[in-house]
Amino acid sequence: MAFLVAVAGPAPATEPLPLAIGGNFTLVDQRGETRSSNEFDGRLKLVWFGYTECPHACPMALGTISAALDELASQAESVVPLFVTVDPEHDTPARMAAHLANFHPSFVGLTGKDADIAKVRADFRIAAQRVADPGAFERLFEHTTLIYLMGHGGEPLSLLPATLPPQRIAKILRGYL
């Protein structure tokens, strides 16, 4: 837990995390359009990995990110929130669009082929595993529950616990804007 507390605060914007996290990707957004990671360069990125039928962590995190963006007001235009599925078999663009309609309008939902999602998960060091048997919860995954704050050029800046208050996340983001 000390690690998370240490990286959750704003560091100097010139000092990215000393971890190899992130990478280039090409995935499909909730509108069915192909999106490349480099098109988000120039803005901060809040990246969350989850799935549309997640019962707890994902709705909470997406709501927290949405509230942090609301807290930023006009400065939110300098931040792009990305929701990357860990369940590409189920999370089609249409499902992503329907799910993200409940959250901040600037969210970009990303899905794709299993191999493409697996590469992005590996690049971000995301653990995700389906844990439910068919007949129980049809879609239950254990997955990493950190919000990745990525810099203007895609460099990792901070790992934020999804339980941080939105006001704290907004304050951290302001430190990098």
Side-chain angles (χ1 to χ4, degrees):
M1 188 62 157
F3 172 73
L4 292 179
V5 172
V7 299
T14 59
E15 196 175 309
L17 284 176
L19 302 170
I21 295 176
N24 294 327
F25 60 79
T26 301
L27 296 172
V28 177
D29 74 8
Q30 72 265 34
R31 293 172 192 85
E33 297 175 19
T34 301
R35 306 295 292 267
S36 171
S37 55
N38 61 0
E39 74 182 81
F40 304 114
D41 285 351
R43 296 193 288 171
L44 295 176
K45 286 142 302 274
L46 288 173
V47 187
W48 175 260
F49 288 82
Y51 62 110
T52 61
E53 290 194 14
C54 181
H56 302 295
C58 294
M60 181 200 65
L62 297 177
T64 297
I65 292 168
S66 295
L69 294 171
D70 288 343
E71 184 83 18
L72 287 174
S74 65
Q75 289 180 302
E77 294 175 10
S78 300
V79 181
V80 60
L82 302 173
F83 174 52
V84 182
T85 187
V86 298
D87 187 11
E89 173 187 318
H90 183 262
D91 288 342
T92 63
R95 285 186 194 274
M96 297 287 277
H99 186 67
L100 289 175
N102 298 306
F103 302 101
H104 198 275
S106 65
F107 258 105
V108 177
L110 297 169
T111 188
K113 296 178 184 172
D114 288 339
D116 296 333
I117 294 295
K119 180 192 177 308
V120 176
R121 282 182 38 206
D123 288 347
F124 278 81
R125 301 178 182 205
I126 295 296
Q129 178 179 351
R130 191 168 181 174
V131 294
D133 293 323
F137 285 96
E138 289 297 318
R139 312 215 77 76
L140 189 60
F141 289 77
E142 289 181 350
H143 61 88
T144 301
T145 56
L146 291 170
I147 301 167
Y148 290 69
L149 173 56
M150 307 300 283
H152 296 92
E155 69 281 6
L157 298 176
S158 191
L159 302 174
L160 308 173
T163 55
L164 279 180
Q167 298 81 6
R168 178 72 177 125
I169 293 173
K171 182 177 180 181
I172 291 167
L173 290 169
R174 282 187 189 104
Y176 289 104
L177 291 175

